[in-house]
Amino acid sequence: MKDEELDLGRFAEPSLYILVSLSEGPKHGYAIMTDVEAISGAPMGPGTLYGALARLERRGLIEPLEAVDRRRPYRLTGLGEATVRAQMERLSAISKTGLHRLRETSS
Amino acid sequence: MSALVRLYPRSWRARYEDEFLGLLEARPPTMRDRVDIVRGAIDARRDQRSPNRWERPVWAAAVSAIAAGGLWIAWLVLSVQAFKVAEADPIFGFGRLLATLAGLAAVASHLSLGFASVGRMRGWGGYAAAIAAVGFFITAIGGGAAALFALLGSIGLATAVAGRTVPSIVAVLWVVTVVGVFNAFAALVRTQWTDPSVMYQAIPFGIVWVLVGLTIGLLGMPSAVADGASTGSEG
């Protein structure tokens, strides 16, 4: 998932956290917020959450399910799953490279 | 709390308000959350496109297309008149004024065409539009050599827009428009720039864009155009 392709702007990072959260299974807004806070260690505001959800839905990365008692769960689409997988692999490669270089520098 | 939610566009509220209020009930917002909600509302108003196309900028595209078509015609008519006046008027002042107005019309027309097609100017298509606009402007005020840049810019802009809007009718319109510009220039070259009225051959393309604008305004935007605009298109 290239941010410039999806044009997510300031929602790029929150969107990634949401995709990671939904990779566990469908969740509604409140559950996503709680989970993202646990993953990132920082709270996600409701305006940011719904700004990101709207963009992800529009790009076909997530889809809404039937609302129950004013709570509407969202789940990853096939495209969303492929996108988050590609993004995780990219971040993993960056992480490995960075750690490797740090080890080389310190040794 | 509903007062804050009312800051969001009506169409956004129709889609998300119920679950959004449900979330705020489950987790009462802090002051920081309230600021975040206001920011979210500003973002939603800037980004008024969604899966159900809430408040997509149809009116802006329609007005842009109509303006582009009108300015296109104005550019051609003013250019021809400027040419004729310049020939008849030894002082050349009025002809120069007409030529400058023609150049401004060409610039505004091209920028409007780009906006009407893809919603905003961005990327290399945007640079191509700028080159076309400046090229046409310089050509109109008397710099014939700039016509080459104008044509190259037009081709670049048309390619960017057509690539983004395929398979919608707008892509076809762009190709046809560029062919029209080529025809007009080819006619000018054939007559060795002695008969500027051949530029009138390109007027129908301006009329087409006006009709496109009216169609967009009445019937809505072709889906491929809306998708292109929403993904940060070029042009």
Side-chain angles (χ1 to χ4, degrees):
Chain A
M1 177 177 66
K2 288 184 180 176
D3 298 339
E4 62 271 24
E5 283 177 3
L6 293 173
D7 196 21
L8 289 170
R10 79 174 182 93
F11 294 97
E13 190 177 337
S15 297
L16 184 59
Y17 284 127
I18 292 169
L19 291 174
V20 170
S21 176
L22 292 179
S23 62
E24 190 181 43
K27 288 189 182 78
H28 52 70
Y30 181 68
I32 295 172
M33 279 178 91
T34 311
D35 193 36
V36 167
E37 285 184 22
I39 296 169
S40 66
M44 176 183 278
T48 301
L49 172 70
Y50 270 86
L53 284 176
R55 283 163 174 78
L56 291 170
E57 188 181 345
R58 188 167 69 230
R59 285 156 181 76
L61 301 178
I62 64 172
E63 60 188 0
L65 301 173
E66 192 70 26
V68 180
D69 195 22
R70 301 180 85 184
R71 290 181 165 190
R72 184 185 298 282
Y74 290 85
R75 72 176 170 202
L76 286 183
T77 61
L79 176 64
E81 195 177 326
T83 301
V84 73
R85 189 180 301 280
Q87 188 73 348
M88 289 301 106
E89 284 169 359
R90 193 174 73 86
L91 290 174
S92 175
I94 292 171
S95 172
K96 277 181 191 168
T97 305
L99 289 170
H100 177 67
R101 289 182 182 177
L102 282 171
R103 273 197 297 273
E104 279 185 340
T105 309
S106 57
S107 62
Chain B
M1 189 46 54
S2 58
L4 279 179
V5 179
R6 273 201 292 274
L7 294 173
Y8 282 83
R10 189 178 303 162
S11 47
W12 185 97
R13 296 206 311 268
R15 168 65 184 81
Y16 296 107
E17 184 173 25
D18 200 38
E19 56 187 287
F20 193 67
L21 286 173
L23 170 71
L24 298 179
E25 275 179 19
R27 198 185 94 152
T30 61
M31 185 52 70
R32 189 174 173 173
D33 287 340
R34 288 168 193 266
V35 173
D36 186 69
I37 291 169
V38 173
R39 261 189 99 185
I42 294 168
D43 278 318
R45 288 191 175 276
R46 278 189 193 153
D47 183 57
Q48 294 187 336
R49 298 179 293 269
S50 81
N52 48 358
R53 303 285 175 226
W54 39 273
E55 289 187 25
R56 68 189 181 202
V58 167
W59 65 270
V63 170
S64 298
I66 294 168
L71 289 163
W72 177 279
I73 295 167
W75 160 48
L76 295 169
V77 173
L78 285 168
S79 292
V80 173
Q81 293 308 312
F83 206 103
K84 288 180 177 173
V85 169
E87 279 185 333
D89 179 9
I91 299 172
F92 196 56
F94 187 51
R96 177 68 70 180
L97 174 66
L98 282 177
T100 305
L101 288 175
L104 291 175
V107 171
S109 176
H110 273 74
L111 296 180
S112 298
L113 281 174
F115 188 85
S117 303
V118 292
R120 55 185 148 166
M121 308 298 289
R122 185 174 167 151
W124 65 272
Y127 294 124
I131 291 170
V134 172
F136 277 119
F137 180 74
I138 295 173
T139 307
I141 62 173
L148 180 62
F149 289 100
L151 278 177
L152 289 175
S154 266
I155 294 165
L157 175 58
T159 309
V161 175
R164 180 64 70 177
T165 53
V166 163
S168 83
I169 186 70
V170 174
V172 179
L173 280 172
W174 265 100
V175 174
V176 171
T177 302
V178 170
V179 171
V181 173
F182 260 115
N183 268 341
F185 271 90
L188 274 175
V189 171
R190 270 199 307 275
T191 59
Q192 297 182 323
W193 299 80
T194 55
D195 182 15
S197 60
V198 292
M199 287 178 73
Y200 285 147
Q201 289 175 15
I203 282 183
F205 301 100
I207 295 171
V208 166
W209 276 98
V210 171
L211 292 175
V212 167
L214 291 173
T215 307
I216 289 172
L218 293 173
L219 303 177
M221 204 142 44
S223 59
V225 180
D227 291 341
S230 72
T231 50
S233 46
E234 297 178 346

